[in-house]
Amino acid sequence: MRNVADANLPAVVRVLVYSSDSDTRRQVIQALGKHPRPDLPPFEYLEIATAPVVVEQMDAGGIDLAVLDGEAAPAGGMGLAKQLKDELDDCPPILVLTGRADDAWLANWSRAEGTASHPIDPFQLTEAVAGVLQHRTAV
């Protein structure tokens, strides 16, 4: 199994966390923490509550991973993920938070590289993020 630390990752992983719910954003950041696994670099977070700001920040660059809440309103993370994948030439990897595990097929439609489901489970989210970051370096 490939070690994520061997991957071509930046010294600090900038993670965009989008949700219209501040509690969901807080849960994601707390679940992952500043250093989620020993084989990953430290994480730095950018919290965003609206879809237009997500598009603006992703377009500006400097984001290594986006975690988008599929349950956000009025713009859900799955539609936003699809838009970003369609519009950005070099879109960073995206992980979508689904309302339930059975909705993973929708996240696949959105072209997200990974999924995790509500309620936020720190272990599940950390493993999903590590998988997405491994996928990022494999392509």
Side-chain angles (χ1 to χ4, degrees), residues 43-79:
F43 282 15
E44 179 181 285
Y45 297 96
L46 177 61
E47 288 186 65
I48 300 182
T50 64
V53 177
V54 170
V55 173
E56 177 184 300
Q57 289 295 319
M58 294 286 279
D59 192 39
I63 302 298
D64 300 303
L65 170 69
V67 178
L68 308 179
D69 183 6
E71 302 298 302
M78 286 185 242

Side-chain angles (χ1 to χ4, degrees), residues 101-131:
D102 290 343
D103 291 338
W105 69 273
L106 285 168
N108 187 43
W109 163 85
S110 74
R111 297 175 51 203
E113 286 83 359
T115 64
S117 61
H118 287 280
I120 305 293
D121 175 279
F123 298 107
Q124 178 199 30
L125 183 59
T126 300
E127 290 309 305
V129 163

Side-chain angles (χ1 to χ4, degrees), residues 6-95:
D6 297 337
N8 187 19
L9 290 173
V12 175
V13 176
R14 281 193 38 106
V15 181
L16 181 148
V17 179
Y18 164 68
S19 179
S20 56
D21 182 347
S22 62
D23 190 47
T24 299
R25 294 192 307 270
R26 180 187 52 78
Q27 288 176 35
V28 167
I29 292 168
Q30 286 181 341
L32 292 171
K34 290 190 181 276
H35 206 151
R37 284 185 12 177
D39 62 336
L40 292 173
F43 282 15
E44 179 181 285
Y45 297 96
L46 177 61
E47 288 186 65
I48 300 182
T50 64
V53 177
V54 170
V55 173
E56 177 184 300
Q57 289 295 319
M58 294 286 279
D59 192 39
I63 302 298
D64 300 303
L65 170 69
V67 178
L68 308 179
D69 183 6
E71 302 298 302
M78 286 185 242
L80 191 52
K82 178 89 166 83
Q83 176 186 349
L84 292 166
K85 291 294 184 179
D86 287 349
E87 293 178 1
L88 297 179
D89 290 332
D90 192 22
C91 187
I94 296 175
L95 183 137

